[in-house]
Amino acid sequence: MKPAPFEYHRPSSLAEALELLADLPDAEPLAGNQSLSILMSNRLASPDHLVDINDLAELSYVAADGQSVEVGALVRHREVERSGTLADALPLFPEAAGKIAGPVVRNRGTVGGSLGEGDPAGNYPCVAAALDADLELASADGSRTVPAEDFFIATMFTDREEDELITGLAIPREPFPPARTGQTFLAVKEAAQTWPTLSAAGAVRVDDPAADEPVVEEARVALANAAEVPLRVREAESELAGEPLTDAALAAAGETAYEAVDPEEELHADETYKRELAREYTKRALTTAHDRAVA
Amino acid sequence: MSVDDTGRSDRPTQEITVTVNGESVTAEVEPRLKLSDFLRSHMELRTVRVGCEQGVCGACTVEFDGTVAKSCMLYAVQADGREVTTVEALSEDGDLHPIQEAFHEEHALQCGFCTSGFLMATRELLAENPDPDRDVIEGALADNICRCTGYQNIYDAVETAADKLEGE
Ligand SMILES: Cc1cc2nc3c(=O)[nH]c(=O)nc-3n(C[C@H](O)[C@H](O)[C@H](O)COP(=O)(O)OP(=O)(O)OC[C@H]3O[C@@H](n4cnc5c(N)ncnc54)[C@H](O)[C@@H]3O)c2cc1C
Ligand code: FES
Ligand code: FES
């Protein structure tokens, strides 16, 4: 379990890191190392250079204003989990963080690493898809913004160029004012150490939480490990929007999810089982989000 | 100190200076040397256990730069200029730390392979939350695997340790 030899670089600023990524052939960013080290130990990855970005304090921020929430790439899972700002603005994000491994892994793992890895089973890619996040990327040549939907292309394959770093994530707040919104992140997993068989992120906004029959104005559901990218199920969302929540609408939403997914078979979960999980967890995520919106 | 797992001298090394258990150590290491191997094999800190070497078992857990981390998922070069603490630093002059005493009293170990990792994770938990309930304890130790005890005695030991530390 020893990685292949590499050269190690520890830049102290974003500009320096981007220069290194531009100049060094076969260089890989190193963040929390909670995924990369496993790949390297098993020789599934053997970069010639590692560019350690852990000293880039400028990528370690959580900020919210009326329009959006911004989270830096170097924010650790533990910080996401404990962020009061995120708990108030986008509670499904810290909920998702708390369901990654145990606290020792969460002390090190980062937002940028989780997105950069591009694992469709990952918690944050699913959160980013559900909340319509924009990923911010930078290279020595400049920066650009890519919507989550375009960023994730296939399993472990993203729109990031080799000389680019993810610097952060921007999430619009406008669809989900906290007072009329409920959110949740549900993960089906055997143990803390295992990746989820399937996860579901849900968000629901109602017109008036105090009404007898609050009308669902906006619903979101995204599934992890159900296709080769984090999958937002728009058809399921539109089953709910515009009327008070009913069992019939939930059942219809579940059916669309059953059809929409394209899951990879695993040792303990065949394709049909995963489709059934997608159906059930779409319903549970939307129900939980709705119940929290009206509570 | 020159550190080379393979005995080959043609691979580049890098000089690091790390504060390990309060003492500054300078060494030449290959960048790919894991912190776990550096601590266990080269610093001879035998409480650092090397189990799965891929982030699952937690036997290699140490404190790195202020929080607990799995040392098989860090390279020794990353520790340059940083502080590392292992179980060796817990006991003073041969006296067990209250968490170690609690593990002893509650029979929270059988083979003991996992114990160092549990001690380090428990230490961080109790520093952050002096009176955790059972669910919190389970969650805090979720990164550590024990193949012997069935965990219940470990959770009991954490409760006992919390009481001991509170009484100090
Ligand atoms: C036991 C265990 C269980 C886990 N369970 C889960 C789980 O249930 N759900 C889940 O989502 N995750 C899980 N993880 C993975 C964890 O979330 C990782 O922390 C995360 O996937 C990678 O983040 P990192 O900061 O450690 O990145 P690294 O491992 O350092 O990097 C991962 C990849 O991203 C690239 N990268 C890192 N930062 C950037 C950046 N800023 N810009 C561009 N590229 C970058 C690296 O080059 C590398 O290719 C688990 C990990 C372990 C060890
Ligand atoms: S040896 Fe590090 S987690 Fe198992
Ligand atoms: S006591 Fe043997 S693994 Fe825990």
Side-chain angles (χ1 to χ4, degrees):
Chain A
M1 296 302 255
K2 312 291 180 213
F6 57 84
E7 278 179 48
Y8 172 78
H9 311 264
R10 195 198 291 175
S12 54
S13 71
L14 177 60
E16 201 188 322
L18 295 176
E19 285 302 328
L20 286 167
L21 287 174
D23 293 345
L24 298 169
D26 193 22
E28 187 88 4
L30 169 71
N33 213 20
Q34 303 300 293
S35 290
L36 185 58
S37 67
I38 302 174
L39 293 178
M40 288 178 61
S41 289
N42 288 294
R43 307 267 175 130
L44 297 171
S46 48
D48 290 338
H49 298 271
L50 285 185
V51 177
D52 183 348
I53 62 169
N54 282 284
D55 279 358
L56 308 190
E58 63 234 83
L59 301 187
S60 197
Y61 56 84
V62 176
D65 63 18
Q67 269 71 53
S68 68
V69 175
E70 312 225 330
V71 182
L74 206 58
V75 176
R76 315 265 172 200
H77 304 327
R78 202 77 171 132
E79 296 170 296
V80 173
E81 181 188 1
R82 293 175 165 181
S83 161
T85 304
L86 293 176
D88 290 341
L90 301 166
L92 80 79
F93 201 167
E95 200 179 337
K99 291 180 179 172
I100 296 173
V104 185
V105 168
R106 297 201 291 273
N107 276 341
R108 302 289 317 156
T110 67
V111 169
S114 188
L115 296 167
E117 190 183 11
D119 191 323
N123 296 20
Y124 297 158
C126 183
V127 168
L131 296 175
D132 247 347
D134 281 329
L135 280 90
E136 288 149 1
L137 298 161
S139 72
D141 295 333
S143 57
R144 65 187 178 115
T145 298
V146 184
E149 210 156 12
D150 299 334
F151 183 76
F152 301 104
I153 294 172
T155 303
M156 311 301 242
F157 183 54
T158 71
D159 188 48
R160 181 179 82 88
E161 300 287 339
E162 273 184 9
D163 63 346
E164 283 181 316
L165 272 183
I166 301 167
T167 55
L169 194 71
I171 302 172
R173 297 191 64 178
E174 174 271 318
F176 295 114
R180 294 189 288 126
T181 295
Q183 300 188 350
T184 190
F185 188 90
L186 305 174
V188 185
K189 58 193 276 177
E190 298 300 325
Q193 290 86 2
T194 60
W195 281 68
T197 309
L198 184 125
S199 307
V204 166
R205 182 185 83 224
V206 297
D207 61 341
D208 176 6
D212 280 345
E213 293 205 314
V215 172
V216 175
E217 291 182 337
E218 172 98 30
R220 295 280 175 82
V221 63
L223 301 172
N225 209 21
E228 59 171 0
V229 291
L231 192 71
R232 190 168 154 197
V233 193
R234 286 179 202 278
E235 305 85 348
E237 297 170 0
S238 50
E239 293 291 345
L240 262 60
E243 52 177 305
L245 188 67
T246 62
D247 286 345
L250 275 175
E255 281 322 310
T256 62
Y258 186 97
E259 295 300 333
V261 299
D262 183 13
E264 183 122 359
E265 188 171 273
E266 292 172 46
L267 185 59
H268 300 292
D270 66 17
E271 190 195 317
T272 308
Y273 177 66
K274 280 192 165 182
R275 283 188 188 277
E276 286 166 357
L277 283 180
R279 175 168 58 203
E280 180 60 25
Y281 277 82
T282 293
K283 290 197 280 186
R284 288 191 197 182
L286 289 168
T287 307
T288 305
H290 177 267
D291 291 352
R292 288 180 180 175
V294 302
Chain B
M1 177 164 55
S2 178
V3 169
D4 184 336
D5 262 359
T6 59
R8 285 177 56 171
S9 55
D10 57 340
R11 293 210 183 95
T13 56
Q14 203 166 320
E15 185 179 281
I16 59 169
T17 300
V18 192
T19 304
V20 182
N21 295 335
E23 278 178 40
S24 178
V25 179
T26 299
E28 281 287 330
V29 297
E30 246 200 288
R32 66 174 174 152
L33 182 72
K34 292 177 176 193
L35 182 61
S36 46
D37 290 327
F38 175 70
L39 294 171
R40 181 173 174 83
S41 303
H42 303 290
M43 295 289 302
E44 298 190 352
L45 297 169
R46 303 289 196 224
T47 67
V48 180
R49 301 285 154 75
V50 176
C52 66
E53 293 194 82
Q54 47 182 328
V56 178
C57 73
C60 66
T61 304
V62 302
E63 189 182 284
F64 173 80
D65 206 18
T67 59
V68 283
K70 295 178 173 180
S71 58
C72 71
M73 303 181 98
L74 285 160
Y75 299 111
V77 281
Q78 289 185 269
D80 185 29
R82 313 254 203 250
E83 283 186 35
V84 177
T85 305
T86 70
V87 168
E88 277 80 358
L90 298 195
S91 52
E92 281 172 47
D93 307 324
D95 290 334
L96 293 182
H97 185 277
I99 300 174
Q100 291 173 303
E101 275 176 16
F103 271 63
H104 175 64
E105 287 164 17
E106 298 291 348
H107 303 288
L109 57 139
Q110 289 175 27
C111 78
F113 190 83
C114 67
T115 309
S116 315
F118 276 100
L119 292 172
M120 294 309 289
T122 301
R123 183 165 168 264
E124 177 165 289
L125 165 68
L126 296 180
E128 290 176 353
N129 183 347
D131 188 22
D133 65 27
R134 201 78 170 188
D135 281 349
V136 171
I137 294 171
E138 278 189 41
L141 301 181
D143 267 314
N144 297 75
I145 288 178
C146 175
R147 300 319 315 259
C148 300
T149 64
Y151 299 98
Q152 302 313 311
N153 289 7
I154 294 177
Y155 302 149
D156 288 344
V158 177
E159 286 171 351
T160 300
D163 293 342
K164 283 178 188 282
L165 288 166
E166 202 180 39
E168 278 199 343

